[in-house]
Amino acid sequence: MIGKEVNNNFEDILSISKSESEVILFSVFGAYALLGIPSGFLIKKLGYPFLQLDIFVLFLLKTLGLMLALD
């Protein structure tokens, strides 16, 4: 499973515990789960230019989740 490989890499590279590594993965994949369906509805309603803004906001949320997980 890809999660185990990513967890091992996070633990080794960032020198963090297994639980901290899992929090990082949860925040990354949680952003997809949290914003996936609402984003689809908004893109359908507002069109393609909104997609670019949506991708930027998703990137910011993922970055914020990573920073919170590392504190």
Side-chain angles (χ1 to χ4, degrees):
M1 188 169 156
I2 194 168
K4 290 181 182 178
E5 294 299 321
V6 173
N7 268 342
N8 291 337
N9 289 335
F10 277 147
E11 292 170 22
D12 294 339
I13 294 171
L14 300 175
S15 301
I16 58 176
S17 69
K18 184 174 178 98
S19 61
E20 290 173 329
S21 175
E22 290 181 6
V23 168
I24 292 172
L25 282 179
F26 178 77
S27 65
V28 168
F29 292 119
Y32 284 115
L34 183 66
L35 295 176
I37 293 174
S39 296
F41 289 132
L42 287 174
I43 291 168
K44 186 182 283 186
K45 183 176 181 178
L46 299 176
Y48 178 75
F50 181 75
L51 177 62
Q52 295 170 345
L53 176 64
D54 183 49
I55 291 171
F56 180 72
V57 170
L58 181 61
F59 175 74
L60 288 178
L61 288 174
K62 288 169 64 172
T63 303
L64 177 64
L66 179 63
M67 290 190 316
L68 288 174
L70 292 177
D71 280 344

Coordinates of all heavy atoms in Angstrom, one line a residue:
M1 N 0.8 -1.2 0.0 CA 0.0 0.0 0.0 C 0.9 1.2 0.0 O 1.9 1.3 0.6 CB -0.9 0.0 1.2 CG -1.9 1.0 1.2 SD -3.1 0.6 2.6 CE -3.7 2.2 2.9
I2 N 0.5 2.3 -0.7 CA 1.3 3.5 -0.9 C 1.4 4.2 0.5 O 2.4 4.9 0.7 CB 0.7 4.4 -2.0 CG1 1.7 5.4 -2.4 CG2 -0.6 5.0 -1.5 CD1 1.4 6.2 -3.6
G3 N 0.4 4.1 1.3 CA 0.5 4.9 2.6 C 1.7 4.5 3.5 O 2.3 5.3 4.1
K4 N 2.0 3.2 3.5 CA 3.1 2.7 4.3 C 4.5 3.3 3.7 O 5.3 3.7 4.5 CB 3.2 1.2 4.2 CG 2.1 0.5 5.0 CD 2.2 -1.0 4.9 CE 1.0 -1.6 5.7 NZ 1.1 -3.1 5.6
E5 N 4.6 3.3 2.4 CA 5.8 3.8 1.8 C 6.0 5.3 2.1 O 7.0 5.8 2.5 CB 5.9 3.6 0.3 CG 6.0 2.1 0.0 CD 7.2 1.5 0.5 OE1 8.3 2.2 0.4 OE2 7.2 0.3 0.9
V6 N 4.9 6.1 2.0 CA 4.9 7.5 2.3 C 5.2 7.7 3.7 O 6.0 8.6 4.1 CB 3.6 8.2 1.8 CG1 3.5 9.6 2.3 CG2 3.4 8.0 0.3
N7 N 4.6 7.0 4.6 CA 4.8 7.1 6.1 C 6.3 6.9 6.4 O 6.9 7.6 7.1 CB 4.0 6.1 6.9 CG 2.7 6.7 7.3 OD1 2.5 8.0 7.3 ND2 1.7 5.9 7.7
N8 N 6.9 5.8 5.8 CA 8.3 5.5 6.1 C 9.2 6.7 5.6 O 10.1 7.0 6.3 CB 8.7 4.2 5.4 CG 8.0 3.0 6.1 OD1 7.6 3.1 7.2 ND2 7.9 1.9 5.4
N9 N 8.9 7.2 4.4 CA 9.7 8.3 3.9 C 9.5 9.6 4.8 O 10.5 10.2 5.0 CB 9.3 8.6 2.5 CG 9.7 7.5 1.5 OD1 10.7 6.8 1.8 ND2 9.0 7.4 0.4
F10 N 8.3 9.9 5.2 CA 8.1 11.0 6.1 C 8.9 10.9 7.4 O 9.5 11.8 7.9 CB 6.6 11.2 6.4 CG 5.9 12.0 5.4 CD1 4.5 11.7 5.2 CD2 6.4 13.0 4.6 CE1 3.8 12.4 4.2 CE2 5.7 13.7 3.7 CZ 4.4 13.4 3.5
E11 N 8.8 9.7 8.0 CA 9.5 9.4 9.2 C 11.0 9.6 9.1 O 11.7 10.2 9.9 CB 9.2 8.0 9.7 CG 7.8 7.8 10.1 CD 7.4 6.4 10.4 OE1 8.3 5.6 10.6 OE2 6.2 6.0 10.3
D12 N 11.6 9.0 8.0 CA 13.0 9.1 7.8 C 13.5 10.5 7.4 O 14.4 11.0 8.0 CB 13.4 8.2 6.7 CG 13.2 6.7 7.0 OD1 13.1 6.4 8.2 OD2 13.2 5.9 6.1
I13 N 12.8 11.2 6.5 CA 13.3 12.5 6.0 C 13.1 13.6 7.0 O 13.9 14.4 7.3 CB 12.6 12.8 4.7 CG1 13.1 11.8 3.6 CG2 12.9 14.2 4.3 CD1 12.3 11.9 2.3
L14 N 11.9 13.6 7.7 CA 11.5 14.6 8.6 C 11.9 14.3 10.0 O 11.7 15.2 10.9 CB 10.0 14.9 8.5 CG 9.5 15.4 7.1 CD1 8.0 15.5 7.1 CD2 10.2 16.7 6.7
S15 N 12.4 13.1 10.3 CA 12.7 12.7 11.7 C 11.5 12.9 12.6 O 11.7 13.6 13.7 CB 13.9 13.5 12.2 OG 15.0 13.2 11.4
I16 N 10.4 12.3 12.3 CA 9.2 12.4 13.1 C 8.7 11.0 13.4 O 9.1 10.0 12.9 CB 8.1 13.2 12.4 CG1 7.7 12.6 11.0 CG2 8.5 14.7 12.2 CD1 6.6 13.3 10.3
S17 N 7.8 11.0 14.4 CA 7.3 9.7 14.8 C 6.2 9.2 13.8 O 5.8 9.9 12.9 CB 6.6 9.8 16.2 OG 5.4 10.6 16.1
K18 N 5.8 7.9 14.0 CA 4.9 7.3 13.1 C 3.5 8.0 13.2 O 2.8 8.3 12.2 CB 4.7 5.8 13.4 CG 3.8 5.1 12.4 CD 3.8 3.6 12.7 CE 2.8 3.0 11.8 NZ 3.5 2.4 10.6
S19 N 3.1 8.4 14.4 CA 1.8 9.1 14.6 C 1.8 10.5 13.9 O 0.8 10.9 13.3 CB 1.4 9.2 16.0 OG 2.4 9.9 16.7
E20 N 2.9 11.2 14.0 CA 3.0 12.5 13.3 C 3.0 12.3 11.8 O 2.4 13.1 11.1 CB 4.3 13.2 13.8 CG 4.3 13.7 15.2 CD 5.6 14.2 15.7 OE1 6.7 13.7 15.2 OE2 5.6 15.1 16.5
S21 N 3.6 11.3 11.3 CA 3.6 11.0 9.9 C 2.2 10.7 9.4 O 1.7 11.1 8.4 CB 4.5 9.8 9.6 OG 4.4 9.5 8.2
E22 N 1.4 10.0 10.2 CA 0.0 9.7 9.8 C -0.9 10.9 9.9 O -1.8 11.0 9.1 CB -0.5 8.5 10.7 CG 0.2 7.2 10.4 CD -0.3 6.1 11.3 OE1 -1.3 6.3 12.1 OE2 0.3 5.0 11.2
V23 N -0.6 11.8 10.8 CA -1.3 13.1 10.8 C -1.1 13.9 9.5 O -2.0 14.5 9.0 CB -1.0 13.9 12.1 CG1 -1.5 15.3 12.0 CG2 -1.4 13.3 13.3
I24 N 0.1 13.8 9.0 CA 0.4 14.5 7.8 C -0.4 13.9 6.7 O -1.0 14.6 5.9 CB 1.9 14.5 7.5 CG1 2.7 15.3 8.5 CG2 2.2 15.0 6.0 CD1 4.2 15.2 8.4
L25 N -0.4 12.6 6.6 CA -1.2 11.9 5.5 C -2.6 12.2 5.6 O -3.3 12.4 4.7 CB -0.9 10.4 5.5 CG 0.4 10.0 4.9 CD1 0.6 8.4 5.0 CD2 0.5 10.4 3.5
F26 N -3.1 12.2 6.9 CA -4.6 12.4 7.1 C -4.9 13.8 6.6 O -6.0 14.0 6.0 CB -4.9 12.3 8.6 CG -6.3 12.6 8.9 CD1 -7.3 11.7 8.6 CD2 -6.7 13.8 9.5 CE1 -8.6 11.9 8.9 CE2 -8.0 14.1 9.8 CZ -9.0 13.1 9.5
S27 N -4.1 14.8 6.9 CA -4.4 16.2 6.5 C -4.3 16.3 5.0 O -5.2 17.0 4.4 CB -3.4 17.2 7.2 OG -2.1 17.0 6.7
V28 N -3.4 15.6 4.3 CA -3.3 15.7 2.9 C -4.5 15.1 2.2 O -5.2 15.7 1.4 CB -2.0 15.1 2.4 CG1 -2.0 14.9 0.9 CG2 -0.8 15.9 2.8
F29 N -4.8 13.8 2.6 CA -5.9 13.1 1.9 C -7.3 13.6 2.5 O -8.3 13.6 1.8 CB -5.8 11.6 2.1 CG -4.6 11.0 1.4 CD1 -3.6 10.4 2.0 CD2 -4.6 11.2 0.0 CE1 -2.5 9.9 1.4 CE2 -3.5 10.7 -0.7 CZ -2.5 10.0 0.0
G30 N -7.3 14.2 3.7 CA -8.5 14.7 4.2 C -8.9 16.0 3.4 O -10.1 16.2 3.3
A31 N -8.0 16.7 2.9 CA -8.3 17.9 2.1 C -9.0 17.5 0.8 O -10.0 18.1 0.4 CB -7.0 18.7 1.8
Y32 N -8.6 16.4 0.2 CA -9.3 15.9 -0.9 C -10.7 15.5 -0.6 O -11.6 15.8 -1.3 CB -8.5 14.7 -1.5 CG -7.3 15.0 -2.3 CD1 -6.1 14.6 -1.9 CD2 -7.4 15.8 -3.5 CE1 -4.9 14.9 -2.6 CE2 -6.2 16.1 -4.2 CZ -5.0 15.7 -3.7 OH -3.9 16.0 -4.4
A33 N -10.9 14.7 0.5 CA -12.2 14.3 0.9 C -13.1 15.4 1.2 O -14.3 15.4 0.9 CB -12.1 13.3 2.0
L34 N -12.6 16.4 1.9 CA -13.4 17.5 2.4 C -13.8 18.5 1.3 O -14.9 19.0 1.2 CB -12.6 18.3 3.4 CG -13.3 19.5 4.1 CD1 -14.4 19.0 5.0 CD2 -12.3 20.3 5.0
L35 N -12.9 18.7 0.3 CA -13.2 19.7 -0.7 C -13.6 19.1 -2.1 O -13.9 19.8 -3.0 CB -12.0 20.6 -0.9 CG -11.6 21.4 0.3 CD1 -10.4 22.2 0.0 CD2 -12.8 22.4 0.6
G36 N -13.5 17.8 -2.3 CA -13.7 17.2 -3.6 C -15.1 17.4 -4.1 O -15.3 17.9 -5.2
I37 N -16.1 17.0 -3.4 CA -17.5 17.2 -3.9 C -17.9 18.6 -4.0 O -18.5 19.0 -5.1 CB -18.5 16.3 -3.1 CG1 -18.2 14.9 -3.2 CG2 -19.9 16.6 -3.4 CD1 -18.9 13.9 -2.4
P38 N -17.7 19.5 -3.0 CA -18.1 20.9 -3.2 C -17.4 21.5 -4.3 O -17.9 22.4 -5.0 CB -17.7 21.5 -1.9 CG -17.7 20.4 -0.9 CD -17.3 19.2 -1.6
S39 N -16.1 21.1 -4.6 CA -15.4 21.7 -5.7 C -16.0 21.4 -7.0 O -16.1 22.2 -7.9 CB -13.9 21.3 -5.6 OG -13.3 21.7 -4.5
G40 N -16.4 20.1 -7.1 CA -17.1 19.7 -8.4 C -18.3 20.5 -8.7 O -18.6 20.9 -9.8
F41 N -19.1 20.7 -7.6 CA -20.4 21.5 -7.8 C -20.0 22.9 -8.2 O -20.7 23.5 -9.1 CB -21.2 21.5 -6.6 CG -21.9 20.2 -6.3 CD1 -21.8 19.7 -5.0 CD2 -22.6 19.5 -7.3 CE1 -22.4 18.4 -4.7 CE2 -23.2 18.3 -7.0 CZ -23.1 17.8 -5.7
L42 N -19.0 23.5 -7.6 CA -18.7 24.9 -7.9 C -18.1 25.0 -9.3 O -18.4 26.0 -10.0 CB -17.7 25.5 -6.9 CG -18.3 25.8 -5.5 CD1 -17.2 26.2 -4.5 CD2 -19.3 26.9 -5.6
I43 N -17.3 24.1 -9.7 CA -16.7 24.1 -11.0 C -17.8 24.0 -12.1 O -17.8 24.7 -13.1 CB -15.6 23.0 -11.2 CG1 -14.4 23.4 -10.3 CG2 -15.2 22.9 -12.6 CD1 -13.4 22.3 -10.2
K44 N -18.7 23.1 -11.8 CA -19.8 22.9 -12.8 C -20.6 24.2 -12.9 O -21.0 24.6 -14.0 CB -20.7 21.8 -12.4 CG -21.8 21.4 -13.4 CD -22.7 20.3 -12.9 CE -22.0 19.0 -13.0 NZ -22.9 17.9 -12.7
K45 N -20.8 24.9 -11.8 CA -21.6 26.1 -11.8 C -20.9 27.3 -12.3 O -21.4 28.1 -13.1 CB -22.1 26.4 -10.3 CG -23.0 27.6 -10.2 CD -23.5 27.7 -8.8 CE -24.4 28.9 -8.7 NZ -25.0 29.1 -7.3
L46 N -19.6 27.5 -11.9 CA -18.9 28.7 -12.3 C -17.9 28.6 -13.5 O -17.5 29.6 -14.0 CB -18.0 29.1 -11.0 CG -18.8 29.5 -9.8 CD1 -17.9 29.8 -8.7 CD2 -19.8 30.6 -10.1
G47 N -17.6 27.4 -13.9 CA -16.8 27.2 -15.1 C -15.4 26.9 -14.8 O -14.9 26.9 -13.7
Y48 N -14.6 26.8 -15.9 CA -13.2 26.4 -15.8 C -12.3 27.4 -15.1 O -11.4 27.0 -14.3 CB -12.6 26.1 -17.2 CG -11.2 25.8 -17.2 CD1 -10.7 24.6 -16.7 CD2 -10.2 26.8 -17.6 CE1 -9.4 24.3 -16.7 CE2 -8.9 26.5 -17.5 CZ -8.5 25.3 -17.1 OH -7.1 25.0 -17.0
P49 N -12.5 28.8 -15.3 CA -11.6 29.7 -14.6 C -11.6 29.5 -13.1 O -10.6 29.8 -12.4 CB -12.1 31.1 -15.0 CG -12.7 30.9 -16.3 CD -13.3 29.5 -16.2
F50 N -12.7 29.1 -12.5 CA -12.8 28.9 -11.1 C -11.9 27.7 -10.7 O -11.4 27.6 -9.6 CB -14.2 28.6 -10.7 CG -14.4 28.4 -9.2 CD1 -14.3 29.4 -8.3 CD2 -14.6 27.1 -8.7 CE1 -14.4 29.2 -7.0 CE2 -14.7 26.9 -7.3 CZ -14.6 28.0 -6.5
L51 N -11.7 26.7 -11.6 CA -10.9 25.6 -11.3 C -9.5 26.0 -10.9 O -8.9 25.4 -10.0 CB -10.8 24.6 -12.5 CG -9.9 23.4 -12.4 CD1 -10.4 22.5 -11.2 CD2 -9.9 22.6 -13.7
Q52 N -8.9 27.0 -11.5 CA -7.6 27.4 -11.2 C -7.5 28.0 -9.8 O -6.6 27.7 -9.1 CB -7.1 28.5 -12.2 CG -6.9 27.9 -13.6 CD -6.7 28.9 -14.7 OE1 -7.0 30.1 -14.4 NE2 -6.3 28.5 -15.8
L53 N -8.5 28.7 -9.4 CA -8.6 29.2 -8.0 C -8.7 28.1 -7.0 O -8.1 28.1 -6.0 CB -9.7 30.3 -7.9 CG -9.9 30.8 -6.5 CD1 -8.7 31.6 -6.0 CD2 -11.2 31.6 -6.5
D54 N -9.5 27.1 -7.4 CA -9.8 26.0 -6.5 C -8.5 25.2 -6.3 O -8.2 24.8 -5.2 CB -10.9 25.1 -7.2 CG -11.2 23.9 -6.3 OD1 -11.5 24.2 -5.1 OD2 -11.2 22.8 -6.8
I55 N -7.7 25.0 -7.3 CA -6.5 24.3 -7.2 C -5.5 25.1 -6.2 O -4.9 24.5 -5.4 CB -5.8 24.0 -8.5 CG1 -6.7 23.0 -9.3 CG2 -4.4 23.6 -8.4 CD1 -6.2 22.9 -10.8
F56 N -5.5 26.4 -6.4 CA -4.6 27.2 -5.5 C -5.1 27.1 -4.1 O -4.2 27.0 -3.2 CB -4.6 28.6 -6.0 CG -3.8 29.6 -5.2 CD1 -2.4 29.5 -5.3 CD2 -4.4 30.5 -4.4 CE1 -1.6 30.3 -4.6 CE2 -3.6 31.3 -3.6 CZ -2.2 31.3 -3.7
V57 N -6.4 27.2 -3.8 CA -6.9 27.1 -2.5 C -6.6 25.7 -1.9 O -6.2 25.6 -0.7 CB -8.4 27.4 -2.4 CG1 -9.0 27.1 -1.1 CG2 -8.6 28.9 -2.8
L58 N -6.8 24.7 -2.6 CA -6.5 23.3 -2.2 C -5.0 23.2 -1.8 O -4.7 22.6 -0.8 CB -6.8 22.3 -3.2 CG -6.6 20.9 -2.9 CD1 -7.5 20.5 -1.6 CD2 -7.0 20.0 -4.0
F59 N -4.1 23.8 -2.6 CA -2.7 23.8 -2.3 C -2.4 24.5 -1.0 O -1.6 24.0 -0.1 CB -1.9 24.4 -3.4 CG -0.4 24.5 -3.1 CD1 0.4 23.4 -3.2 CD2 0.1 25.8 -2.9 CE1 1.7 23.6 -2.9 CE2 1.4 25.9 -2.6 CZ 2.3 24.8 -2.6
L60 N -3.0 25.6 -0.8 CA -2.8 26.4 0.5 C -3.3 25.6 1.7 O -2.7 25.6 2.7 CB -3.5 27.7 0.4 CG -2.9 28.8 -0.5 CD1 -3.8 30.0 -0.5 CD2 -1.5 29.1 -0.1
L61 N -4.5 24.9 1.6 CA -5.0 24.1 2.7 C -4.1 23.0 3.0 O -3.9 22.6 4.2 CB -6.4 23.7 2.4 CG -7.5 24.8 2.4 CD1 -8.8 24.2 2.0 CD2 -7.6 25.3 3.8
K62 N -3.6 22.3 2.0 CA -2.7 21.2 2.2 C -1.4 21.7 2.9 O -0.9 21.0 3.7 CB -2.4 20.5 0.9 CG -3.6 19.7 0.3 CD -3.4 19.3 -1.1 CE -2.3 18.3 -1.3 NZ -2.2 17.7 -2.6
T63 N -0.9 22.8 2.4 CA 0.3 23.4 3.0 C 0.0 23.7 4.5 O 0.9 23.5 5.4 CB 0.7 24.6 2.3 OG1 1.0 24.3 0.9 CG2 2.0 25.2 2.9
L64 N -1.1 24.3 4.8 CA -1.5 24.7 6.2 C -1.6 23.4 7.0 O -1.1 23.4 8.2 CB -2.8 25.4 6.2 CG -3.3 25.8 7.6 CD1 -2.4 26.8 8.3 CD2 -4.7 26.4 7.4
G65 N -2.2 22.4 6.5 CA -2.3 21.1 7.2 C -0.9 20.5 7.5 O -0.7 20.0 8.6
L66 N 0.0 20.6 6.6 CA 1.3 20.1 6.8 C 2.1 20.9 7.9 O 2.7 20.3 8.7 CB 2.1 20.1 5.5 CG 3.6 19.6 5.5 CD1 3.6 18.2 5.9 CD2 4.2 19.8 4.2
M67 N 1.9 22.2 7.8 CA 2.6 23.0 8.8 C 2.0 22.8 10.2 O 2.7 22.8 11.2 CB 2.5 24.5 8.4 CG 3.3 24.8 7.2 SD 3.5 26.6 6.8 CE 2.0 27.3 7.0
L68 N 0.7 22.6 10.3 CA 0.1 22.3 11.6 C 0.5 21.0 12.1 O 0.7 20.8 13.3 CB -1.4 22.4 11.5 CG -2.1 23.7 11.3 CD1 -3.6 23.6 11.1 CD2 -1.8 24.6 12.5
A69 N 0.7 20.0 11.2 CA 1.1 18.7 11.7 C 2.5 18.6 12.1 O 2.9 17.8 13.0 CB 0.9 17.7 10.5
L70 N 3.4 19.5 11.6 CA 4.8 19.6 12.0 C 5.0 20.4 13.3 O 6.2 20.3 13.8 CB 5.6 20.1 10.9 CG 5.7 19.2 9.6 CD1 6.5 19.9 8.6 CD2 6.3 17.9 10.0
D71 N 4.1 21.1 13.8 CA 4.3 21.9 15.0 C 4.3 21.1 16.2 O 4.0 20.1 16.4 CB 3.2 23.0 15.2 CG 3.5 24.2 14.3 OD1 4.7 24.3 13.8 OD2 2.6 25.0 14.1

